[in-house]
Amino acid sequence: MLTVHVILNAHLDPIWLWPWQAGMDEALATCRSACDRLDHNPDAVFTQGEAWVYHQVEQHDPALFRRIRRHVRAGRWALAGGWWIQPDCNAPGAIGFEHQIACGKEYFLEHFGEFPEVALNPDSFGHAATLPGLMTDAGQKYYIMMRPQEHEMALPARLFRWRGYADGPEVLAFRIAGSYVARALTEEHLRAACGALPEGITHTMCFGGVGDHGGGPGEALIAWIREHREAFPGLRLEFSS
């Protein structure tokens, strides 16, 4: 029996090709929707990274920020990523990465009293060899990414230990199958998440929610997960982070 941890999330891309105000609007609308979903579904869990997103909510909708903090304290809203923004992971040098990780860490510690151990860059195109060392120095042990996808580059497994260079620091990395967001899940999504796992691994992750630029999970998706917990042979679904 494989346990599929369904990660409800909202890929936010506020530095995409649009005015920053549009990115801010997406952040506010997504976080408001996510709070509503958690209020209505006591078994659901939501995951969100990027300190910039939380900062925008804090500045422009303090009441919504208080709702988020209540869900975080209750274990319903998971802090992930921890960096200031989800970056390009090809071009920046080590100092640039180090600075933006530090900015995110400072924000999360100040406002939530914790810094995520899981770094989350699902839509970053490339992953510099400096990153495992920088994440380790910041106290992060795990890394979740998607690109390059299976058709672009072969990796040892979906779950693997990543060192940027020989004998360097390592983090435990997971490559998302298919997509980091999905308005609706299917058995195909779930089976893909179970592929290429190392021998003996009985847990995997499948990501769901509305993207590419925010929205989060809808009521129909949450209900589907609940109704299909034991619907597929050999699989058990769980709301997770």
Side-chain angles (χ1 to χ4, degrees):
M1 179 68 71
L2 276 172
T3 300
V4 180
H5 297 265
V6 182
I7 313 301
L8 300 177
N9 78 110
H11 167 56
L12 287 167
D13 205 348
I15 54 171
W16 192 64
L17 303 177
W18 52 11
W20 70 266
Q21 295 94 333
M24 180 188 69
D25 287 345
E26 290 290 351
L28 293 171
T30 295
C31 291
R32 190 174 298 115
S33 175
C35 281
D36 290 345
R37 301 291 78 72
L38 296 182
D39 290 343
H40 298 158
N41 299 276
D43 54 343
V45 180
F46 181 72
T47 297
Q48 177 61 47
E50 293 93 37
W52 184 91
V53 172
Y54 294 93
H55 178 63
Q56 295 305 315
V57 176
E58 177 201 3
Q59 295 294 309
H60 298 285
D61 193 338
L64 177 58
F65 191 70
R66 290 193 292 271
R67 291 177 70 191
I68 292 173
R69 294 184 70 179
R70 285 196 296 269
H71 284 307
V72 171
R73 288 194 296 268
R76 308 282 315 291
W77 184 300
L79 305 175
W83 304 5
W84 187 253
I85 202 70
Q86 183 184 168
D88 166 27
C89 285
N90 276 315
I95 293 175
F97 283 126
E98 184 177 33
H99 184 63
Q100 91 125 341
I101 293 172
C103 287
K105 184 173 184 177
E106 179 181 8
Y107 184 87
F108 278 100
L109 289 176
E110 178 182 351
H111 292 84
F112 296 97
E114 61 181 280
F115 179 61
E117 290 187 323
V118 181
L120 177 65
N121 286 327
D123 200 25
S124 296
F125 287 77
H127 311 277
T130 53
L131 287 177
L134 293 172
M135 287 186 280
T136 300
D137 290 344
Q140 295 190 305
K141 303 176 181 179
Y142 313 103
Y143 190 58
I144 297 175
M145 38 72 79
M146 184 184 74
R147 307 184 188 280
Q149 294 178 280
E150 284 88 342
H151 67 280
E152 296 169 317
M153 182 179 180
L155 293 176
R158 185 163 312 289
L159 180 70
F160 58 96
R161 298 189 182 279
W162 176 33
R163 286 184 293 273
Y165 49 88
D167 299 323
E170 70 176 31
V171 292
L172 189 62
F174 181 89
R175 177 160 69 176
I176 299 169
S179 177
Y180 46 76
V181 288
R183 184 181 299 273
L185 293 178
T186 65
E187 183 176 3
E188 181 180 5
H189 285 100
L190 303 174
R191 297 290 181 192
C194 298
L197 291 173
E199 183 178 355
I201 297 297
T202 57
H203 294 259
T204 188
M205 290 186 285
C206 183
F207 283 63
V210 178
D212 274 341
H213 304 288
E219 289 289 341
L221 174 60
I222 294 172
W224 187 92
I225 296 165
R226 192 181 293 124
E227 293 164 4
H228 290 79
R229 286 186 189 274
E230 306 279 350
F232 306 109
L235 303 182
R236 178 188 296 112
L237 310 187
E238 288 188 8
F239 291 112
S240 196
S241 64

